[in-house]
Structures are given as structure tokens and as C-alpha cells.
Amino acid sequence: MTTNTIENSTGIDIAGAITEAEAARTRLDLAKSAPKVFRAIVGFDAAAREGLDPALVELIQIRASLLNQCAYCLHMHTNDARKAGETEDRLHLVAVWREARHFFTEREQAALALTEAVTLVADGGVPDEAYAQAAAHFDDSELAHVLALIMTINTWNRVALATGKVAGTDERR
């Protein structure tokens, strides 16, 4: 478990709060309770990432996690994005990327728009415009991987939310 050992500006002991929240969690651990299912999701995720720029992967995962309000995944992927060289400015602006387009390439904007459409698919499907914009910036193989990545992060968000994962813990380590 990775924790932040500093206090925030309100004087809250973040490490202690994370430890307490994790101890209070009473939901099942999918990896232990259904290991074949968990390994299948891990394999799907690994296959989806193949050939994609790691920074783009993290932007997609951050945007979907924001939309799904998954603090566990958002914390994990913003940290991963920093490790991949992402800037704080861009991380802070992913939530409002349409108003800050100049921080993102056209290719990234297309991926973010597609991420929104697929993540919010129940709100009206995936609009032809969002799909066409992405198809203009990614070849068929890349587009398939981007779509698969969007599907996997949406799955991970649902796993984390359904099983009560606590932001600030990263069980991959």
C-alpha cells in the first residue's frame, strides 16, 4: 500500500486517514474472491495498452475516472501520469479540456472526446462526430486499442467503486 505521509493544508494526516478508511472497508476483494476474473481484466488492460503512448493512456484513464467519480483510479492514474512525464498543468485541466484545448494536441482531444462518449454511452450512444474525429487521428489498430482502453478503465472504475477501493492505496505494488 502506497500512502502520502504529509498533512494537507487543513492539517489532516493523509496517511492516517487512508489507513483508517482501508481498515473500515468491508467489501470483497475481487482479486482474491474471483482470481480468474481479475486476471482476465488485467490481461485485457495490458492488451489494450499495447502500442499506445503511455501519456495518452493516462489521459484517457484520468478522464474516464473523473466522469465515473472514481477517486481510487483517479489517484492511481494521476500518479502514473506524473511518472510518465505529464505536467501538473495538463493534469489539472483534463476535467475541462474543451475549455483548455491549447494544452492538448488534436489527437489527445479526439481521444478525450471518444473517452467521454464511450464512458457516457447511456446518454445517447457514441456520436458519429466523436468516432469520426478519433478515426481521423488514429489508424484502425490504434483506434481499436483506444476503444479497448476506454472499456478497460470503465471496467476498473466499476470494480473499484463496487468493491469500495480507497483512494490513496495502490494494490499493484
Side-chain angles (χ1 to χ4, degrees):
M1 175 169 52
T2 303
T3 60
N4 188 346
T5 59
I6 62 169
E7 290 186 357
N8 69 15
S9 61
T10 61
I12 295 172
D13 174 14
I14 296 170
I18 290 169
T19 301
E20 186 177 315
E22 183 67 13
R25 188 174 65 127
T26 59
R27 295 187 181 184
L28 69 81
D29 181 334
L30 187 68
K32 289 180 183 172
S33 299
K36 287 176 79 174
V37 171
F38 190 83
R39 284 192 305 271
I41 300 169
V42 169
F44 183 28
D45 186 292
R49 295 166 182 262
E50 285 182 14
L52 295 178
D53 173 46
L56 179 66
V57 166
E58 298 307 331
L59 289 176
I60 290 168
Q61 294 182 123
I62 289 166
R63 186 63 188 131
S65 297
L66 284 163
L67 293 169
N68 288 320
Q69 299 180 35
C70 183
Y72 176 82
C73 294
L74 184 59
H75 182 265
M76 180 186 300
H77 293 295
T78 53
N79 283 337
D80 289 349
R82 285 181 190 95
K83 291 174 190 169
E86 195 54 75
T87 67
E88 290 298 316
D89 282 341
R90 284 171 37 105
L91 288 176
H92 292 295
L93 294 171
V94 171
V96 292
W97 68 269
R98 290 178 193 278
E99 290 78 29
R101 290 179 183 270
H102 56 285
F103 280 86
F104 303 95
T105 67
E106 288 185 12
R107 181 175 164 97
E108 290 167 339
Q109 291 175 44
L112 291 169
L114 188 62
T115 300
E116 290 176 359
V118 173
T119 300
L120 303 173
V121 70
D123 292 346
V126 177
D128 290 339
E129 182 181 331
Y131 185 88
Q133 181 184 13
H137 291 282
F138 297 95
D139 66 31
D140 286 352
S141 177
E142 291 170 323
L143 183 57
H145 283 262
V146 167
L147 284 167
L149 181 68
I150 296 165
M151 292 172 206
T152 60
I153 188 55
N154 276 281
T155 299
W156 284 126
N157 289 164
R158 282 150 179 76
V159 167
L161 291 165
T163 61
K165 295 293 185 194
V166 175
T169 63
D170 186 344
E171 298 167 357
R172 299 174 300 174
R173 298 176 200 342

